[in-house]
Amino acid sequence: MYTAHPDRYADLPYRRTGRSGLKLPAISLGLWHNFGPDRSVETQRAILRRAFDLGVTHFDLANNYGPPPGAAESALGGFLKTDFGPYRDELVISTKAGYLMWPGPYGEWGSRKYLLSSLDQSLARMGLDYVDIFYSHRPDPETPLEETMGALHSAVQQGKALYVGISNYSAEQTREAARILGELGTPLLIHQPRYSMLDRRPEEGGLLDALDELQVGSIVFSPLEQGLLSSRYLDGIPEGSRAASDSPFLNSDAVTEDLVARLRALDEIAKGRGQTLAQLALAWVLRGGRVTSALVGASSAQQIEDSVAATGNLDFDADELARIDAIVKQ
């Protein structure tokens, strides 16, 4: 029987999400990869246990995480029964719907039909009565935004979600989503964008400014750029890496000599701070408190330990920030 560490709330900082009462750990665990039948059950259990023991109370999923789709939610459902049942009220569990999940016209995007059906399926896979956060995973170009946001509002009204969020929405779409939800009486809690030292679109497109203005929280995914911002690629493409497998999320063509040179330069800054490159990348997105939480994956308990350790130094001086910008934007 698993007993959580008694000092699990001692070190990891928690940040208030927008203007809500919900606080999230600065590091959250995403179950996008590494949770499914192709991975060791004991490794999955070790990752989740170590994360929670370190104060990582937020587990983030989506209906299609696996592989196969749904496998990550099913895996978490098993661990909720065997390990985390007594701690449900200490956990923030989120899931999303928007990408392809089943065949036919009702198996993806943002219709009321799809979103609410997907949420019911997600709850069944996890063995839960509700999730803490339910997201629209991507904007639907053909469904009125009022319908998509209305479905999120209904999820809260039905007691199947405590809060709602959006992911991959532009600044303009975010403002409109927040307006609609506000009028319905279900505030927009959080946005989940892709953001890293190498991907500045939330800054450049005005999304972070919009979230500040709206007082909406943010949790960023791919802060390590699918592993590029780690020590793995400092000498090119290692055997067994994501880029070596030509993953749809990271192609070998992306790992150029120029990129490797920039990664090495960033690694030198990290060393000067007493951090790994991955820890530098996490600290960078969390700098200044503008981002609520950084979402990380893990293939081992050691990886989640390393990620949490990044929160030990989140301060940057002006020179460090300028050097990082010069390297990334050259």
Side-chain angles (χ1 to χ4, degrees):
M1 174 63 73
Y2 166 65
T3 300
H5 197 287
D7 296 330
R8 57 190 175 278
Y9 296 112
D11 298 317
L12 185 61
Y14 294 81
R15 296 178 169 185
R16 189 168 299 280
T17 311
R19 57 180 176 177
S20 77
L22 184 68
K23 291 184 177 181
L24 290 180
I27 299 294
S28 295
L29 178 62
L31 278 67
W32 184 11
H33 303 296
N34 303 316
F35 286 84
D38 60 337
R39 303 287 179 166
S40 160
V41 172
E42 287 310 310
T43 298
Q44 295 176 51
R45 173 177 281 113
I47 292 168
L48 291 169
R49 286 183 174 185
R50 189 63 183 133
F52 190 59
D53 283 346
L54 291 169
V56 178
T57 54
H58 180 208
F59 298 159
D60 178 81
L61 302 100
N63 57 356
N64 63 335
Y65 288 177
E73 290 179 330
S74 295
L76 181 62
F79 295 123
L80 288 172
K81 288 180 182 177
T82 59
D83 293 66
F84 295 99
Y87 305 104
R88 172 63 184 101
D89 292 333
E90 295 183 45
L91 291 170
V92 175
I93 297 173
S94 59
T95 197
K96 303 179 275 299
Y99 287 94
L100 181 63
M101 187 59 189
W102 62 82
Y106 320 121
E108 63 178 326
W109 295 108
S111 71
R112 181 180 181 86
K113 167 77 171 171
Y114 168 64
L115 290 175
L116 295 180
S117 297
S118 178
L119 178 56
D120 283 342
Q121 292 182 22
S122 293
L123 292 174
R125 281 189 289 269
M126 291 186 282
L128 295 174
D129 296 323
Y130 70 93
V131 290
D132 297 277
I133 308 171
F134 181 49
Y135 289 87
S136 167
H137 206 166
R138 61 173 172 171
D140 184 339
E142 297 184 350
T143 298
L145 193 56
E146 288 82 0
E147 179 175 338
T148 301
M149 296 303 105
L152 297 184
H153 170 66
S154 291
V156 173
Q157 294 298 105
Q158 294 169 4
K160 296 175 181 178
L162 300 185
Y163 301 93
V164 299
I166 56 177
S167 181
N168 299 302
Y169 280 57
S170 69
E172 181 180 357
Q173 291 166 331
T174 297
R175 285 191 174 92
E176 184 64 5
R179 182 192 66 78
I180 294 167
L181 284 168
E183 291 178 355
L184 291 171
T186 296
L188 177 61
L189 173 80
I190 195 167
H191 189 297
Q192 188 174 131
R194 181 168 182 158
Y195 182 46
S196 74
M197 288 194 293
L198 299 179
D199 188 343
R200 307 291 186 89
R201 285 175 293 178
E203 292 177 8
E204 298 162 351
L207 177 62
L208 294 184
D209 290 336
L211 297 178
D212 287 344
E213 173 191 322
L214 297 166
Q215 293 183 276
V216 170
S218 59
I219 177 169
V220 301
F221 72 90
S222 293
L224 304 184
E225 275 305 303
Q226 295 295 308
L228 281 177
L229 289 169
S230 72
S231 60
R232 299 201 75 183
Y233 297 93
L234 294 177
D235 296 310
I237 302 175
E239 185 177 347
S241 67
R242 189 167 293 165
S245 68
D246 275 339
S247 161
F249 306 110
L250 180 60
N251 192 283
S252 59
D253 293 341
V255 188
T256 63
E257 289 185 9
D258 174 68
L259 176 63
V260 171
R262 286 188 286 157
L263 294 177
R264 288 173 177 166
L266 291 171
D267 187 53
E268 288 302 312
I269 296 176
K271 288 176 180 175
R273 291 168 51 84
Q275 293 180 316
T276 65
L277 176 55
Q279 289 168 342
L280 171 73
L282 292 172
W284 185 87
V285 298
L286 292 168
R287 75 198 186 284
R290 201 174 191 191
V291 166
T292 311
S293 183
L295 192 57
V296 301
S299 58
S300 68
Q302 180 64 52
Q303 283 189 349
I304 196 71
E305 291 173 3
D306 292 345
S307 294
V308 169
T311 64
N313 184 8
L314 299 181
D315 295 326
F316 288 79
D317 60 36
D319 178 65
E320 287 174 323
L321 293 174
R323 289 168 61 199
I324 289 169
D325 285 349
I327 292 165
V328 169
K329 297 179 179 181
Q330 66 185 8

